[in-house]
Each structure stands twice: as C-alpha cells, then as structure tokens.
Amino acid sequence: MFSCYIVTFCSPRIRKTSSMAGMELLSDQGFRIDGRKPKELRRIQCRLGVFNQADGSAYIEQGNTKVLAAVYGPHETAGGRGKALHDRVLVNCQYSMATFSTGERKRRPRGDRKSKEMTMHLQQTFNAAIMTSLYPRSQIDIYVEVLQSDGGNYCASVNAATLALIDAGIPMKDYVCACSASFVKDCPMVDINFLEESSGGPELIVATLPKSSQIVFLEMNSRLHEDNLSKVLDVAVKGTKDVYQVLDNAVRDHISEVSAFHKLDQS
Amino acid sequence: MTDILQKSNRFLRFKSSKGGGVCVVREIYRRETVPCQSSLCLNNCQESTEELHLLPREVTHYLMPDPAVARDYLEILEESSFTGIIFTQTTVHSVQHEGSRKLLSRLKNIVKDKRRRSIIFHNEFQTYAYCEREQGEILAVWQRRATFQCAEWFYNHLAGQMPIVMLTDDQQTCEEYGKKTVNVFVLTVEDYLNRFWKDISPGLMELYYSLKASVGRKSKGKEYSGYLPQDMLTAGLKSGKLIQGFLQVNRNNAFTEAFVRTSRQDMTEESSSDIFIYSSAARNRAVHGDLVVVEILPKSHWRGRSLIIKDEEGEGEDAAARKDDREDTTPALPTGQVVGIVQRNWKEYVATFAQDEETGSGDKKAGKVLVIPYDYRIPKIRISTRQMNALIDHRIVVRIDSWEIDSQYPNGHVVRSLGKRGDLETEIAAILIENSISVNQFSDAQMKEMPADTPERPWRMDESEVNKRRDLRDTHLVFSIDPKGCEDVDDTLSVRLLETGNIELGVHIADVSYYVRPDSLTDIEARERSTTVYLADRRYDMLPAILSANLCSLVSGVDRYAVSVIWELSPNYDVLDVWYGRTVIKSRYKLFYELAQAISEGLSSEEVVRNIPELQGITGQELVERIQELRTAIGYLMAISRHLKARRVRGGALELESVEVQVQLSETKSIEDLTPKEHLEIHDTVADCMIFANHWVAKKITESLPNQALLRHHPPPREEQFSNLKNCAATHGFDIKTKSNKDLAESLDKCVDPQDPVVNKLLRMLATQAMTNAEYFSTGSLSRDQFFHYGLALDLYTHFTSPIRRYADILVHRQLLSAVGEDNVKLPSNTELDDMSKHINQKHRAAQYAQRESQELFQCLFFKGRGGSDDDEHCIVDAIIYQIRANGLFVYVPRYGIKGPVYLRSKEGQVLYLQTNGSPEWTGGEISRTDQYITVTCLYGQKTYRLLDHITVKLTLLESWAHSSGLKLQLMSNSPHKSSQQEVKNLAKQQKAEIIKEVSSAAEDKRCMQMSHDLGPNFSELKKQYGQTPEEQSLYSLFESFRETALFSAR
C-alpha cells in the first residue's frame, strides 16, 4: 500500500526553551501563539522558475520559513561512472541553511549533522516520488537553501523541491507535499512554527503523495501516546492535502502564465 | 464561516544565552472573528454553541483594566463582587512578563471561576481591536493605547449596548482618551472605586490605599539601598561618624529587630553602645553574624524594641506590617542603618523547604525555591534545585552565595542533605552544623602520632622521662573523685600531714601536653575543636580516645604522667610554699562523689571495702590502716576546701543556681553531670581544690609571662540587666543590691521564702541570666584591672585542671611548664594567643549552645505524643512567673527546668480568662500591665498575675516544620499545681536525665523495629519458599567443597 514508509524515531531534540518559558501554546479560547486556530496552516506563498540557469527552480514561503530550491538534470553522473546506477537515476540532494536564517547567526551553512540528516531525508523522499527508472545511469541534483527558518524546514524544503522538479519537467508519480503536526492539550495542531517546535512537545512530520494518500516519509520526535498518533497523523495528512491545493494552484498559474508568454512570443 | 487572515510580523529582541541580543521575528495572524463571549453579541461570533456566554447581560458596564492596573491592583479585582471583567491579551502578557508566574495564575483563577463571568479577550488576534506598537513608543503607553483601542472595539462590537470602563493608573491617559468615545469611560482606579463601590464595600478603598502604598515602594525598583564605597566607610569610621560591629539578630523577633554589638575592644562599655536596627530595609542585606558598618539615624527616627512575645512560628512579614503600634515598646534606643559590610560571616545553614511548597509539575523542576533556615535569625534563602521532590521533607545544608540589591532574599545553593526531618540523627546533625561543630573521625595521620597501647605491645613509661620527673608514686596517697562511671579522669588529689605540722595539698592533672606537642596534627585538630562537646546522649571528644580514655586518664593502679601543683599550708591554711612541676603518679583509689561523701560521714569499713575494688584482696591490719589513711585524707581535704571557700565567699564569690552556671563557673565535671544526684558537700570540696589550683597557676603564669598568659576573666554584669531580678524580688519584699558581687551574693542569700523554696532558686537563676559570659583572654590584650573574675571573686583565674576536654588547659599547661623551666616549647605570642582565645571562646559557646539545644530536642521528643489527654501527669505542671510582657508572661517550670512564654492575648486580640470552674476561655477583653503585674480584664471578671506567682500550665509539643520544635505552655489554672509542693525541690535535673534515657531508648526501639519491619510476619515461610537454601543443602556449597578437594589433591 505504501510506496515507501520511513519512520525515524529521534530522541527529543534539546533546544533552548528558557526564553519562551511559560508560554501558553494553546489558549483556552483555542488560539495558538501566533493567532491561528489548531487546524490552520500558515500562509503559503510560492513562485516557480525563479532562476534561469537552473533547469528548474522555485521559492516558497510558509509563514516566516523561506526556502529556495533549484534542480539540475537529469544529466550524466558527475565524478565518474562509479556512482551511476544502472537501473535508475541517482537523486542527489543538498540541504543548506543560510547563515542569516536563524536568530543567532549560524556557523556552518551545510555539512553539520542536522543538515546531513536533512539531506538524506530529502533524498529518500524524492527517490520515492520521482519515476527513477526512466533515467538509468544519470543524475538529478536538488539544491535546497533555507533563507529564513521559523519551523517546518523540512516541509518547506520538500514543497519547494517538488515545485522545482515540476518546473524542471521531471516526471513524478505525484506532487510530494509535506506537513508537520503536534499535539498540545489534547488537541492536534497542524503546521507548527519554531516556538511550538521548540516547546518540547511531540512533532510529527509527514510527506505524502496527496492524490493517492500514500505516505513517502514519516518522522516523529519526542513522545506521543499511541492512541493519539492516528489523530495527529490524520491532521498532518489533511495538512499535506491543503498544501497540495496551494501548490497545484501555483503550478497552474505558472503554466498558464508561461504558456501565455510563449504564445505571445510565437505570435 | 471562513476567516480572512491577515499576517503581520512582530519584532522582538531577546537576550541570548551568550549575553548578546537576538532579534526574533514572530508572525501574527489576525482575523475578524474572535469570539467576544458576551451574551449581548449580535454578530454571533461564538464558534460553538456549548461555550458559555460568559460576559453577563445584567451588569451596568464591563470592566477593562490596563496592564499596569492588572499587575498592581489585581487584589482588588479578585474581590468577588466584581463581575464582567475583560482582560485583554496584552494585559495577560504584561502580567506574565512584567509581573510574576504567581500573579498570572491568580489572574487565570479569576477567569476560570465561572461565577466571576470574566474573560480573556484575544485583542491581538483581532484585526480591528489591535494597534501595532509604533517605532520608539514607550511600552506602557502602547499598552494603554492598545487597551483603549480594544475597549472601543468592544463597545462598537456590542453595538453600544454596554458601556465599557477602562481602568488605568495614569491621569494623562484619562484625559487623553476619556472624552474620545461616548460610553467608553477611562477612569483611574481611585476614581472608579469612589464612584461605583464606595457605598457598597468601603473596605475596597482601604485595600486600594494599602496597595497604592506598596506600589510606591516597589516603584523604587530596588529592595535595598546600595553600600557606601570603601573609602567613605574608612573615613567615616575614623571620624567616628560610622560605627563598626557585629550584627546580632533578635531571635524572638528576627524579621524586624537586630542589634549591632560594637566590636570587642569596647567590651566594657555600657550597653548604650548597642545600636538598634529596625526593619529589614535598614538591615540592608546583612545577615546575622556579619561585621557591618552602621550609621546612626537622626533622633526622630529612633524607636524602641517590641515587648510583645512574638509567636515564633514564622510569617514575620505580616506580623511586622500589622503590628506597627508603638505603645508596646521600650523607650527609644539609638537606631541606625547598615551602610556597609566589612566581612560576611556566611557559613553553612541548615534549612528546610516550606511545608506547603508544591512539588511535582514538570516545568517547575529547575525552578527557584525559597527555603527556611533552621535558625530563626537567618532570612529565607532562594535556591534552585532539581531534587525538590526527593528533599521535600529533609533537612538540607545550604550556603548563601550572594544577595543582590534588587532581591528580597539572598541566593544560595544546596550542599547536601542531612536526612529526613524529625529523625534523631538528622536533628542532632542539624544542631552540630548550626553551631559549626565538626565531628569528623580523627585521621590516620593523627592516630599515627599517638603512642600505641595494644595488648601485644602495652604502653610503658620511658625510663629517662621518669627520671626527669618528681616521683610521687610511693610517697603520696593520690586518689580521684569523679562522677560514677567517668572515663576521662583528668584530675587527682593528694593530701598529707607533714612532720612540721603543716599540711601538704596536691592537685595532679593529667599531663596532656606531654603527648600533644605544639603544632602536631593532633594539636591542630584539638585547637580546632577546642573542647569536648557533650550532647544530651553522646559526646564528641577533643582528643583521640587513646589519650582521653586511656593514657591521659588518671585511673587507679597504673603509673601515669601528671603535672602537679603542691602547696604547703600552715595549720591556719595560709599558703607557705607552692611547687609546680611534672610528676609521675599512681592513683591509689578511683572514688565517686557519693562514696567520698559517705566515707567522710563515717561509712562503716565493710561498706568502704565493698565499694572500693582497689581495697579488695587486702586483709588484716593493712586494710584497717589503709581505710584510716583514706578517711583522714578526705577529712583534711574537706576541711581545707571549706576554709578556701569561706575565704572566697568573704571576697564576694557568688553562688548561682541552674545548670548553665555550673557549666560556666564550677570546676568539677558538672558538664557530664547529667546523671541525677543531690548536691553534696564533696562536690564543693573538689571544685574548690580545682579553683584553688587554677588560681595559683594563673598567678604563676601571669608572673612569668606578663604579656602572653592565657587567663579567664568574668566581666561584671551591666547594672540594667538586673532590673527584672529586682522586680521579681520586690514582689516578695526582698531587696537586691547589685553594686558589687559581694552585695549581690549577700542579698541573694537573704531572699529565702520559707514557704516556697523555688523562689530562691529562681532568683539565683535570674541573677545568672544577668551575668555576662566568662571568657578566655591573653594578658597582653587587656589592662590589669580587667583580669578580675566576678563570679569567683578572684583577681586572677585560668583553666588548668581539665586538659583532656579543654584546649585552653593544654595551652596553660605549656605556659606553666615553661614558666617553671621544665619544658621549652615555643609559646604563642600575645597576638596569636589573642586570636586563639577568641576562637576557643567561640567554640566553647557553640558547644554550650549545642548542648542546650540537644537537651531541648530531647525534651521535645519526650513530650511528643504526650499531652493529648488533660490529666497526663507529665504535662500538667507547676510554673512560676518571672517576667511580664505586653501580651503574656514568661514562666519557669521547676519540674523540667524549662522556661517559656504563656500567652494571655491571642493574635486576634482576644484575651485568656479562667472561668470559675477552671476551664480557660478566649474572650474579648483588655490587658494592662506594669513592671510587676499584668491584669486581664474581660466580661467575666478580672484577674491579676504577679511576678513569682505560681500557676499551673500544660505542656504540649509545638511542632515546627522548618525549625526546632518547641514546647507550648498553656495556662490551666491560676493556682499552683497540687502535687507540686513537695517533690519540686531537686527534680529538675533528675527529670532531664530521665527524659534523655527514655528518648534514646525509644529511638533505639524504633531502629530495631524498622529493621524487622521490612521482613514481615510470615517472613520465615517466604524465606523457605524463595530464599536461598540453607548452606548445608545448597548445591553451591557442594560444588565449593568439590573445588576445595580438587585443590587439595592437586597440591
């Protein structure tokens, strides 16, 4: 049923919580810290084709998380034939965060443990979504750069990369949409921001192929009671479908824009 | 219904962990439909129908406090008559961040209480009810603007059906916004209360004014004022404008009252040099024991100390705030405030968490907690701990780290736990730590210095050493008189008639200084300890047991080194010659007091033989001679000391009563002396011999070391200390003269009431209380006229006779031996000796306090579980009034030797009156008081209590969580206790000893019970089932035996 099902259980991340001590994540009237209701996504804005030199590119903003993605390929494998796979395409990802993306300036934009982990996750995700068997012995590069980070970096990266892949015209089974969810005061919350992430509560990240409701990636941090898992997962999957709507609209807008432009050009 | 969300950003600056600023951007989503929760709402903005329409229809207006009001006057809003309060989100944030967590939870409690019909409104998520803070706008101004915007929106949202009152504390805001919108009123709290609530509940105004006053105080921003810079302090001290001294907090009123005792050099000055420090603000972060610099306030600020007996059980702050009346105070004393601290004397404190401190809740784990020190005089200490759950009922050791200027309490940290509170071991450990007494084992290095005395290698005297000493083994009849069962005998006596007709008296003291060389490890350790500490049920030795109980102990029948003082007395007991020096002795008999007394009174020879093990096995003529010899010796001894005492009394020596004084003044083993016994003449005999020896040694060392001899003096007491004694005596028509020690002694002797033997005892005890403490000093540091010993009426005095348990005596031994040229060790110089004597004094005092506290502890344990029934004969006892205070009496309970307060007025202002049928009752009434009596007047009648009246009180245990438990004395009857008359006489000490015995055995029982408790009743059965098989049957031992046999065969 699932094309790929990756579950990683990480130990709860240790983060600074001192500055937000005592914050109420969900008020009695059902408002979150930033004024959203539990089931509301942050505002998503996106654009395709932001760069000309890359084969495909996209920019996405989910709330204050801003991500840029560029796709190169399919092309011959770089660095000799040794790496090339004989039956499918090599998906090569690189995730990096700009040094100015966080509150305190980051020392290493890429190559630290977190970035490497994220790179691997992206790679796994897109291996599951791209029709890899169409391009044996070749390579697709996906570069993701986080410009501003405010929670849900993985989700924004996946969504941005999906758009960039579509922009590059690489055949995929479906859009890959990702969304996170948490569980506070017996209430699942979708698309959590940095404050909610760092409060130490559970965090569930899921990437799906929305049309078929197939899960391609699932990650869970911190502890969550088994009984509540399905509730949180449902909310997150619902979130990915909402994201899909937004992305799909953006793609259609972009296509119509581009085709209009081309028609204009040809005429 | 779909919302249109607007997104905007809010920029915040935080401090990062590294100290720099971090800029954080947070997004905020706003919408038009934020539920207003009002039952008047026409827009139907409620999301679900189940939710209550909280804001009521019935009120005349909704109330909207601005953040400052919510922070400062929340207590007013907590009044349950206020309903329909709208707290904006801005307000809640402000209460959270600028107020405290506690304040926030109080606010939330208002909202949670459905009867209050109040809400939190999320104005910051409402598109129109919110206004952005402008660049550079002051926070408070923005908060008020936002609140008003919200009020306006709310008014419009409800389509003008309900007026809104916005409360603020800022006059300008009222003027600015007040006229802007009709029916949105902007009022100050005062205005609002005046207009709406004055008639309904006038108490609110009172509350408002008291809150306002406290806000004014807080607005200073700092709890305390800063200290003066160092150079100003030095200059001020030099010019005499500022005064330096140790801060002494009043134990009975620790929160407000403290004194600064000016430093040691001025010890002889009158008490007017004590400076009164009133309130903790004037104390300015100084802790009990700190060396501080104070500034005297102008005379108009002077005030007297309170005469009210303070209920010791905490809550000092409230009591201090409430009882601001000046009528019950003494005349004004010189009052000052602390302006600088020269030296902190922070040590380890024993503390306990507050009893009701909430535990659990995950996010509080690393929180800061206030702990209550064991000592009332130490302020609460703020610590941060993660182990609170585990330590909640433990006594912990805490150290103070710092006291910030803006913090009400000092910060500290946990050092370790002592164990569960209430356990005997924990409580004793707490007492030891509170008095800074260390009771570590002696280290191996120290033990290595000790001479060995094992069965294989018994200790033997050194021949060359013996040759150097005067040998008294065969020439003198040496014997010791001590309490029964005493282990460390450090003094022996000898007496004989010389051929010339003169008498030779000898006092022989254990030669500890021979074993303890200066600056050896043992010496350093002994100096550190300074004294053996005797607690109620145990003792902590100053010297290792090998010395104190063996080699230095002058037990009978063995050769021992000694230092002797031998006088030749004329038949009139005038001293003709005196010899000091090292000797070798062999004590013939180890007697105990009762036996010695009996011998002197003509005990039959058979009895003597039966009681003295040393005499057994001797028969015939020799035995008769030996007994006769001993009889004569004791007879002489008593005659001599009678004479010595008479001479001393003629000089004005005081005979004082109570345990305290015996510790302080008498020379015998009175400290160990907790086992009951009557006061015998032989006690005085031994004591006087010791005093005689001490006096002559003091003479000798002062002569040869005029600037660096260690002496002991007893400064005369201050005249005004006797006032209470005089008052008491006057009620029975006695007159106490206190001009000199002689006058005092004589007038005390006259104060005998034939009907009431306790009176004299009590008066002597009060005289003791008035005394200052005797102290060690170095002759170089005081002028000659201050050497005087007031209590003993001797011009020179020192401690020489108990080197096993006092370090001062070891020092004196060294000085004496160097004075007679027998031992050439390096003696401490005047300054060294001065420091040492201060240290020893301090340690002695600590040991005494520890001893007293441990006795009190045992008393409390004794009364634990008693006193429930009204007729428990242990708890209903006779008591005598010895002091009158504004709201009660201080009484003395002769049966247990306990002193304590009896309240006649409760905290609520009610007075205690005894009905004719004898049952006490609290009722409305008044109390009037003079120096000699106190009168309770109420509806039922009138009752006067005079000093030295007998009353009956009931003793119950007053359990205290954080402090040592005390005894509560309740008035039961105005007449003396029935059975009290006869037995009272000498019971006090006896009871104490009994108590200790009983409690120790109870603790032992408990320990035993705990051991067996774990196992359960059917343990043997369980063991059969699950335990290990018995050794002879187990496979393990079988295999083990195989292995052994295998080994044997291999060999």
Side-chain angles (χ1 to χ4, degrees), chain A residues 16 19-24 27-29 31-37 40-43 61-64 103-104 107 148 150 193 195, chain B residues 3 5 7 9 14 16-18 22-23 25-29 31 33-35 37 47 51 89 96-97 104 108 119-122 125:
Chain A
K16 282 184 297 171
S19 62
M20 345 24 190
M23 279 257 198
E24 202 176 31
S27 79
D28 295 334
Q29 283 92 338
F31 285 102
R32 287 156 69 173
I33 288 176
D34 54 7
R36 286 183 288 156
K37 293 282 174 74
E40 284 172 352
L41 292 179
R42 290 180 285 183
R43 186 179 61 172
E61 279 184 17
Q62 287 187 275
N64 275 342
E104 269 172 288
R107 286 281 151 75
Q148 190 174 332
D150 188 28
N193 66 18
L195 264 182
Chain B
D3 287 340
L5 292 192
K7 177 184 177 252
N9 283 325
F14 286 122
S16 75
S17 52
K18 284 165 201 142
V22 183
C23 198
V25 187
R26 283 197 197 143
E27 49 182 346
I28 287 192
Y29 292 89
R31 64 191 75 219
T33 53
V34 174
Q37 300 190 57
E47 274 192 345
E51 258 182 277
Q89 191 182 6
Q96 180 175 9
H97 296 300
L104 181 69
K108 289 216 164 138
I119 60 158
I120 293 172
F121 179 69
H122 288 265
F125 299 151

Side-chain angles (χ1 to χ4, degrees), chain B residues 69 71 500 505-506 557 638 760 797 816 978:
Chain B
V69 171
R71 281 200 309 271
T500 53
L505 172 68
M638 292 183 95
N760 185 263
Y797 191 65
L816 176 71
K978 285 181 276 330

Side-chain angles (χ1 to χ4, degrees), chain B residues 556-570:
Chain B
S556 58
V558 284
D559 296 345
R560 289 285 181 250
Y561 295 134
V563 176
S564 302
V565 184
I566 299 172
W567 298 269
E568 194 180 332
L569 305 171
S570 72

Side-chain angles (χ1 to χ4, degrees), chain B residues 49-74:
Chain B
T49 47
E50 304 117 59
E51 258 182 277
L52 264 171
H53 292 285
L54 266 174
L55 288 176
R57 229 173 240 286
E58 305 78 48
V59 293
T60 53
H61 59 270
Y62 290 156
L63 204 57
M64 194 176 284
D66 86 343
V69 171
R71 281 200 309 271
D72 296 337
Y73 301 105
L74 195 66

Side-chain angles (χ1 to χ4, degrees), chain B residues 275-330:
Chain B
I275 294 151
F276 185 48
I277 309 281
Y278 182 80
S279 86
S280 57
R283 208 182 297 167
N284 201 358
R285 291 173 282 152
V287 177
H288 176 78
D290 287 353
L291 185 59
V292 297
V293 178
V294 291
E295 175 188 47
I296 305 272
L297 293 170
K299 257 201 171 121
S300 56
H301 288 71
W302 288 14
R303 46 184 304 157
R305 51 187 299 189
S306 163
L307 280 178
I308 292 173
I309 316 172
K310 276 277 153 64
D311 188 1
E312 292 199 330
E313 204 40 51
E315 87 208 287
E317 288 125 275
D318 309 339
R322 210 175 48 233
K323 290 257 185 291
D324 212 19
D325 45 356
R326 285 175 171 232
E327 50 184 319
D328 284 326
T329 57
T330 59

Side-chain angles (χ1 to χ4, degrees), chain B residues 772-985:
Chain B
T772 49
N773 283 324
E775 280 187 325
Y776 299 103
F777 68 101
S778 166
T779 43
S781 57
L782 287 180
S783 68
R784 181 80 198 210
D785 57 334
Q786 292 177 6
F787 292 3
F788 189 71
H789 196 291
Y790 181 86
L792 296 174
L794 290 171
D795 55 346
L796 295 173
Y797 191 65
T798 190
H799 269 166
F800 166 73
T801 50
S802 298
I804 296 180
R805 57 190 174 87
R806 288 191 306 233
Y807 187 73
D809 300 52
I810 300 183
L811 286 174
V812 170
H813 273 231
R814 287 185 194 141
Q815 290 178 344
L816 176 71
L817 292 171
S818 128
V820 297
E822 286 208 18
D823 202 351
N824 270 325
V825 294
K826 194 182 150 287
L827 293 176
S829 69
N830 180 36
T831 41
E832 282 168 332
L833 199 61
D834 197 36
D835 288 342
M836 264 186 232
S837 59
K838 271 184 204 166
H839 171 75
I840 296 173
N841 285 331
Q842 191 193 334
K843 284 287 176 184
H844 270 252
R845 222 168 300 138
Q848 280 177 27
Y849 286 146
Q851 187 185 6
R852 201 177 312 156
E853 280 168 29
S854 74
Q855 281 169 2
E856 282 165 9
L857 171 68
F858 274 87
Q859 268 172 6
C860 291
L861 291 174
F862 177 75
F863 284 106
K864 201 172 188 173
R866 279 171 216 260
S869 61
D870 269 2
D871 48 337
D872 190 333
E873 52 113 10
H874 286 289
C875 300
I876 310 284
V877 289
D878 190 53
I880 308 173
I881 301 165
Y882 73 91
Q883 199 173 10
I884 302 278
R885 296 297 276 271
N887 60 343
L889 318 160
F890 270 103
V891 299
Y892 172 70
V893 179
R895 175 160 175 186
Y896 297 110
I898 296 169
K899 283 175 264 181
V902 172
Y903 295 95
L904 292 177
R905 186 169 66 198
S906 68
K907 266 185 273 176
E908 293 78 36
Q910 290 185 315
V911 299
L912 185 71
Y913 185 73
L914 284 175
Q915 297 284 29
T916 36
N917 61 6
S919 61
E921 188 177 320
W922 291 99
T923 163
E926 285 196 346
I927 281 185
S928 60
R929 166 183 76 89
T930 69
D931 277 347
Q932 296 191 358
Y933 56 88
I934 184 166
T935 308
V936 178
T937 317
C938 69
L939 283 173
Y940 305 108
Q942 198 172 7
K943 171 69 194 166
T944 301
Y945 298 92
R946 290 174 185 282
L947 283 173
L948 297 187
D949 275 358
H950 281 261
I951 55 173
T952 304
V953 296
K954 178 176 162 191
L955 298 171
T956 41
L957 184 69
L958 191 64
E959 280 266 21
S960 167
W961 177 265
H963 306 286
S964 56
S965 298
L967 289 174
K968 189 173 154 197
L969 282 67
Q970 281 169 302
L971 186 63
M972 291 302 286
S973 156
N974 292 334
S975 55
H977 189 52
K978 285 181 276 330
S979 60
S980 64
Q981 303 297 357
Q982 299 301 317
E983 51 199 299
V984 145
K985 221 173 171 187

Side-chain angles (χ1 to χ4, degrees), chain A residues 173-211:
Chain A
K173 291 172 187 160
D174 191 1
Y175 285 69
V176 197
C177 297
C179 190
S180 61
S182 180
F183 194 73
V184 171
K185 281 193 187 169
D186 281 334
C187 178
M189 286 191 328
V190 77
D191 195 13
I192 55 179
N193 66 18
F194 178 74
L195 264 182
E196 291 162 336
E197 252 181 27
S198 49
S199 67
E203 180 190 14
L204 184 109
I205 300 167
V206 66
T208 62
L209 305 178
K211 276 186 192 157

